[in-house]
Amino acid sequence: MTCVLVADDEPVVLMVARRVLEEAGYRVVAAPDPATALDFWRSERADLAITDIRMPPLRGVELVLELRTLRPTAPILVMTGGDHAELVDQLNAAGLGTTVAVLMKPFSPPALLKAVAAALGGSTALEPAPVP
């Protein structure tokens, strides 16, 4: 069973993501803070990390950098409720631009499942398809 680590300091986001992913057949570990997420990432073999980009006490991409350092090739999906372009700039500045995927909050269950499937499939192209 595919294991997904979901890290967010918003309990509602954790609850919704967990429910949606478990109903889709994933094993989910919920982390309410960066320390819990990193502890799990170090000790377990999650197949994917989904994390909010801003979780105190870490700022910006610090948690993503830590996750990437611990597991350089593991897929990471970053959630943000902020400015998409600003997040992409932060990821690019940290050298992570092509190594993580981005999911905008609030997200629908289908959007979350699509993003997870794309991340697990190795694709970071989560932008909407162009209209013909």
Side-chain angles (χ1 to χ4, degrees):
M1 177 179 286
T2 302
C3 180
V4 178
L5 168 64
V6 180
D8 201 305
D9 57 345
E10 296 179 51
V12 171
V13 174
L14 280 180
M15 179 188 69
V16 169
R18 174 178 231 149
R19 188 192 81 235
V20 169
L21 293 171
E22 285 178 344
E23 286 177 2
Y26 295 99
R27 177 177 162 243
V28 179
V29 175
D33 56 65
T36 303
L38 287 170
D39 285 346
F40 180 80
W41 197 245
R42 280 185 192 100
S43 65
E44 301 291 330
R45 295 307 277 177
D47 300 290
L48 168 68
I50 303 173
T51 182
D52 187 19
I53 193 63
R54 290 183 181 91
M55 280 195 302
L58 298 182
R59 296 176 302 174
V61 298
E62 291 173 341
L63 177 58
V64 179
L65 285 168
E66 289 288 329
L67 294 170
R68 179 59 66 226
T69 297
L70 292 167
R71 305 246 321 268
T73 61
I76 299 174
L77 178 60
V78 176
M79 298 182 289
T80 184
D83 184 327
H84 181 269
E86 178 184 333
L87 173 58
V88 170
D89 288 345
Q90 289 176 11
L91 293 170
N92 286 334
L96 298 167
T98 60
T99 67
V100 298
V102 176
L103 177 64
M104 297 302 296
K105 293 193 296 186
F107 51 79
S108 66
L112 174 61
L113 293 173
K114 180 179 177 183
V116 167
L120 289 170
S123 169
T124 58
L126 299 178
E127 297 300 317
V131 178

